[in-house]
Amino acid sequence: MSRSKSSKKTKFVCSNCGYESPKWLGKCPNCGAWNSFVEVPVEDSKKGWLVEKSGVELKKLSEVMSIRRERIPVGIGEVDRVLGGGIVPGSLILIGGDPGIGKSTLLLQIAGKLAQSGKKILYVTAEESLEQVGDRAKRLGVESDNIYVLAESEMKTIIQQIEEVSPDILFVDSIQTVYHPDLTSAPGSVSQVRECAAEFMRLAKSRNIATFLVGHVTKDGSLAGPRTLEHMVDAVIYLEGERQMGLRILRSVKNRFGSTNEIGVFEMEENGLVEVTNPSSHFLTHSDEKRIGVAVIALLEGVRPLLVEVQALVAPSTFGVPQRNTTGFDPRRLSMILAVLEIITGYSLRNSDIFVNITGGLKITESGGDLGIAMSIVSAFRRVPLPPKTIFIGEIGLGGEIRHVKGIDRRINEAERLGLEKAYIPVTAHKLQGSKLEIVKVKNIEEAIQLCVG
Ligand code: TYD
Ligand code: MG
């Protein structure tokens, strides 16, 4: 944070508690936080409350309810799903992700599709040159006279150009590289990122320009990450995946105009991101072979279930402290499952290294996979394969009981669609629609182990 004087009027606000100060302070006198002050411009506070009649419209809720919201479909099914059916005009959408994951690629593809449907696009590239954007467009086969590209990072020029072009959709790549000249702090700092985002928000709302902001997820904290903006924007979507693997997941974590936790699945190929329309089939190894330590589980993100494999490996530990390693799964939840297994079943896992891996680079964010994860660990520990073509559904409680989870019938239907034959589900599951799967209801983890591995 720079502390030099600025010619424009600014003040400093504690980002922790909101305490205001005319000058920068190292420690907040109000909440005691260190290094929490950010610089923001001073708004003219002399305007009285009761002076002018404002143009505010007072409406009845019933009238508000009948306002229809139009959407602009992107034309890429997986993107539209995550956005809740398309882009809402005038909305501000933040797309976050690790550097190099494919954000610029995705945005250029979205721009291409929108331009095809006659929308006017302005693509502001603040971190790459025009040549780089041009090369990418060639690679992706995106070509249109409706897309304007601006290589600029200074806010005032960007705003001028937006007013000139008057686009339907604006892309800003990235919010961490644009800067407001009125602020003295460096581009990418919390105050710059917030102030620029607020400026884009005002523009989006006042001129009805749907705006996509790219935000890099940063590890070292030198740049303000997308999290600092999540509260301001209308929708937040993240592009995730292992960089080396081709799979990319687009996940909505906030959406003022639709449901969250919808995901879209893509594969990064030579010519850009390609939709994976049948992801479950993608994540399963279709074989009848019995494998040790492998179980099929269903993730339910939003409304669409996804079948994935969980793999576990239990190996004798060579160091004093046994390793607990997870990919795509909360290690604390693993500790809980291991504790339950130890206490309830008497398995001695404390001298073993345990690895749990959700295949395909996916992340589990709900508890419906607990039973399958526990069973894959048991299978790996006992060196006994689990029954083939079987799905495990259920949360594990602290007493070892298998608990109900949402959407059991949707998970079962997806398993049936993909040719599985058997499902282990909680005993409390009710109202199952007719399914061809053999359904086994289990009360607790002991019973499941007894039935599967003896
Ligand atoms: P990019 O969109 O530049 O990532 P971000 O904007 O999130 O930093 O994409 C980065 C990677 O994607 C790059 O390493 C190359 C790869 N890539 C492909 O595999 N195929 C493609 O068609 C393109 C454009 C990129
Ligand atoms: Mg980029």
Side-chain angles (χ1 to χ4, degrees):
M1 161 63 55
S2 161
R3 279 165 243 183
S4 62
K5 283 220 172 70
S6 150
S7 56
K8 292 283 184 310
K9 271 179 116 181
T10 59
K11 64 184 175 186
F12 293 84
V13 180
C14 171
S15 57
N16 192 38
C17 68
Y19 182 85
E20 293 184 7
S21 155
K23 61 181 196 331
W24 190 84
L25 299 173
K27 185 183 178 188
C28 176
N30 186 39
C31 71
W34 285 96
N35 223 3
S36 61
F37 278 83
V38 295
E39 188 183 23
V40 297
V42 178
E43 269 144 37
D44 192 358
S45 58
K46 292 204 190 81
K47 281 186 197 153
W49 284 98
L50 295 171
V51 262
E52 292 160 46
K53 187 171 178 285
S54 68
V56 174
E57 267 181 282
L58 194 58
K59 281 214 154 74
K60 289 192 183 141
L61 180 60
S62 54
E63 291 172 292
V64 178
M65 280 163 72
S66 60
I67 299 175
R68 279 205 48 227
R69 191 190 296 290
E70 55 167 317
R71 283 177 190 272
I72 306 166
V74 173
I76 303 175
E78 298 290 294
V79 174
D80 283 330
R81 173 209 305 285
V82 173
L83 290 175
I87 303 168
V88 174
S91 63
L92 190 64
I93 301 160
L94 177 68
I95 162 159
D98 290 334
I101 204 73
K103 299 178 295 301
S104 305
T105 306
L106 180 66
L107 285 197
L108 204 54
Q109 285 181 271
I110 294 176
K113 279 282 181 184
L114 289 166
Q116 266 175 19
S117 63
K119 299 287 174 218
K120 199 197 259 187
I121 315 287
L122 177 59
Y123 193 104
V124 177
T125 166
E127 58 188 44
E128 289 179 316
S129 66
L130 290 176
E131 289 78 18
Q132 284 169 310
V133 176
D135 285 346
R136 186 180 290 115
K138 254 183 247 155
R139 189 168 171 183
L140 299 174
V142 171
E143 207 178 323
S144 171
D145 284 340
N146 285 339
I147 306 178
Y148 294 80
V149 188
L150 171 70
E152 179 57 63
S153 52
E154 195 258 303
M155 275 306 282
K156 286 191 172 162
T157 319
I158 294 173
I159 292 168
Q160 263 171 17
Q161 293 298 317
I162 294 171
E163 296 193 330
E164 191 136 308
V165 175
S166 183
D168 299 306
I169 325 267
L170 171 71
F171 294 87
V172 180
D173 190 358
S174 68
I175 188 68
Q176 283 130 332
T177 39
V178 295
Y179 69 96
H180 207 295
D182 291 352
L183 297 182
T184 51
S185 50
S189 61
V190 176
S191 51
Q192 282 284 5
V193 164
R194 284 209 186 143
E195 189 51 32
C196 294
E199 193 73 56
F200 284 121
M201 177 66 118
R202 281 190 284 275
L203 269 169
K205 302 294 166 205
S206 63
R207 300 178 156 261
N208 212 27
I209 302 170
T211 303
F212 284 84
L213 305 179
V214 168
H216 295 292
V217 171
T218 53
K219 301 244 152 56
D220 64 352
S222 56
L223 288 180
R227 300 220 119 213
T228 49
L229 296 178
E230 281 185 355
H231 65 287
M232 297 171 67
V233 299
D234 295 313
V236 181
I237 54 182
Y238 279 96
L239 188 62
E240 303 170 344
E242 297 293 323
R243 190 118 59 101
Q244 293 77 16
M245 291 199 258
L247 217 64
R248 298 287 182 271
I249 310 287
L250 193 64
R251 184 192 300 272
S252 133
V253 298
K254 167 178 175 179
N255 194 346
R256 285 181 181 152
F257 310 115
S259 80
T260 53
N261 283 326
E262 276 305 341
I263 68 171
V265 185
F266 296 89
E267 202 154 11
M268 181 62 98
E269 311 231 322
E270 263 316 291
N271 302 312
L273 290 159
V274 179
E275 293 176 84
V276 177
T277 41
N278 191 357
S280 293
S281 161
H282 204 90
F283 299 131
L284 298 186
T285 37
H286 296 274
S287 81
D288 295 341
E289 200 186 317
K290 288 184 170 178
R291 290 185 299 157
I292 289 173
V294 178
V296 174
I297 59 173
L299 314 185
L300 192 64
E301 307 262 3
V303 294
R304 180 171 62 163
L306 265 181
L307 263 49
V308 293
E309 285 180 349
V310 36
Q311 297 182 317
L313 178 67
V314 178
S317 178
T318 40
F319 298 109
V321 184
Q323 286 192 61
R324 300 286 182 254
N325 236 316
T326 61
T327 312
F329 182 57
D330 182 2
R332 279 170 303 181
R333 192 127 196 114
L334 175 66
S335 304
M336 188 282 276
I337 292 175
L338 292 178
V340 170
L341 282 176
E342 282 223 25
I343 300 286
I344 306 276
T345 65
Y347 288 169
S348 170
L349 298 164
R350 70 195 58 182
N351 297 320
S352 306
D353 289 341
I354 297 177
F355 303 88
V356 174
N357 186 6
I358 309 301
T359 54
L362 284 180
K363 271 199 200 113
I364 303 192
T365 53
E366 46 103 38
S367 54
D370 285 1
L371 178 59
I373 289 165
M375 293 310 293
S376 70
I377 295 167
V378 169
S379 162
F381 177 71
R382 297 269 303 273
R383 307 299 300 161
V384 179
L386 296 170
K389 299 201 167 212
T390 300
I391 182 168
F392 295 90
I393 305 168
E395 177 184 314
I396 295 179
L398 292 181
E401 75 279 13
I402 307 302
R403 303 170 67 106
H404 192 75
V405 289
K406 65 173 180 176
I408 291 187
D409 35 1
R410 265 180 285 151
R411 299 182 206 232
I412 288 178
N413 288 345
E414 180 74 353
E416 186 178 336
R417 194 174 74 77
L418 285 148
L420 300 198
E421 290 162 1
K422 201 170 182 179
Y424 283 84
I425 65 170
V427 75
T428 48
H430 45 266
K431 277 198 293 177
L432 286 181
Q433 317 284 316
S435 157
K436 291 198 203 73
L437 251 60
E438 182 192 341
I439 303 284
V440 186
K441 292 189 173 184
V442 283
K443 257 205 314 281
N444 51 44
I445 186 73
E446 273 169 301
E447 197 180 342
I449 295 172
Q450 190 58 41
L451 290 170
C452 291
V453 294

